[in-house]
Amino acid sequence: MIELGVRRFRCENARCPAVTFAEQVAGLTIPHSRYTPLLRGMLTQIGLALAGRAGARVAAAVGITVGRDTLLRMVRAVPEPDAGEVEVLGVDDFAFRKGRHYGTLLIDMATHRPLHLYDGREGEDLADWLRGHPEVRVICRDRSSGYAEGVGSGRHRPSRSPTGITCGPTSVRRPRRV
């Protein structure tokens, strides 16, 4: 427990909506905050590792009382990391509802982070995305004709991986015995 004495100031301007102000201690207090920056960082890390109920139990074990909803709110407040330049792009489809509704997922294969999600399996969405990202050198995709058309129309010259094979799980062809 930290017992901290701060000064309160009164505003002398009659039109000021805030009547009083509390002194802030740099690095220790934030206006209207229940947690210090250090405790907020610790709870965010617990929330990222364990999420709601499990994170609240671990926090309680180390002596911090926090609710599961608060931990989840802290996790949602963490900014998304910048994707940067994508050199190897993974393209795959998935089913929202099998046989009826499909989507397309774009993944940065270097960081294994999702980049974009499209509704449908048309190649035009992929082509539009590729026009805005000319740094893409290798595309890992399945043999869908829609994605092939999207790669072809979205880039000046489609390329394969540097080794000449497609990325991801592939079957190795063995030479024939004669």
Side-chain angles (χ1 to χ4, degrees):
M1 174 74 81
I2 298 175
E3 189 172 325
L4 179 66
V6 294
R7 297 179 291 181
R8 295 196 62 81
F9 301 100
R10 183 176 297 278
C11 183
E12 300 199 2
N13 184 355
R15 289 183 282 167
C16 182
V19 180
T20 62
F21 300 93
E23 179 181 31
Q24 299 297 317
V25 179
L28 186 62
T29 60
I30 298 173
H32 309 290
S33 180
R34 294 178 149 256
Y35 304 107
T36 65
L38 182 63
L39 180 59
R40 178 174 292 279
M42 187 185 318
L43 290 174
T44 300
Q45 291 301 317
I46 290 172
L48 285 170
L50 300 172
R53 284 191 180 112
R57 283 194 302 265
V58 168
V62 295
I64 305 168
T65 304
V66 65
R68 64 178 190 252
D69 293 329
T70 302
L71 284 176
L72 293 175
R73 198 175 312 112
M74 288 180 178
V75 168
R76 281 189 223 108
V78 173
E80 287 288 326
D82 185 30
E85 292 199 357
V86 179
E87 289 190 10
V88 182
L89 177 69
V91 180
D92 202 4
D93 57 347
F94 65 96
F96 286 110
R97 186 168 178 182
K98 193 171 180 178
R100 296 178 187 251
H101 191 164
Y102 291 90
T104 300
L105 179 64
L106 304 181
I107 298 173
D108 182 357
M109 297 303 286
T111 62
H112 304 287
R113 290 189 174 268
L115 298 171
H116 212 0
L117 184 67
Y118 292 108
D119 189 21
R121 292 190 280 192
E122 292 77 32
E124 192 55 40
D125 294 330
L126 177 60
D128 291 341
W129 192 90
L130 287 171
R131 284 187 202 105
H133 295 84
E135 73 276 4
V136 176
R137 295 179 51 204
V138 179
I139 298 174
C140 303
R141 64 173 181 82
D142 60 12
R143 295 176 185 237
S144 168
S145 61
Y147 296 145
E149 291 169 6
V151 169
S153 63
R155 305 181 65 180
H156 295 294
R157 76 171 205 246
S159 65
R160 294 182 67 142
S161 69
T163 59
I165 59 173
T166 58
C167 297
T170 59
S171 59
V172 178
R173 284 193 176 183
R174 294 189 177 128
R176 288 189 203 178
R177 292 184 186 181
V178 184

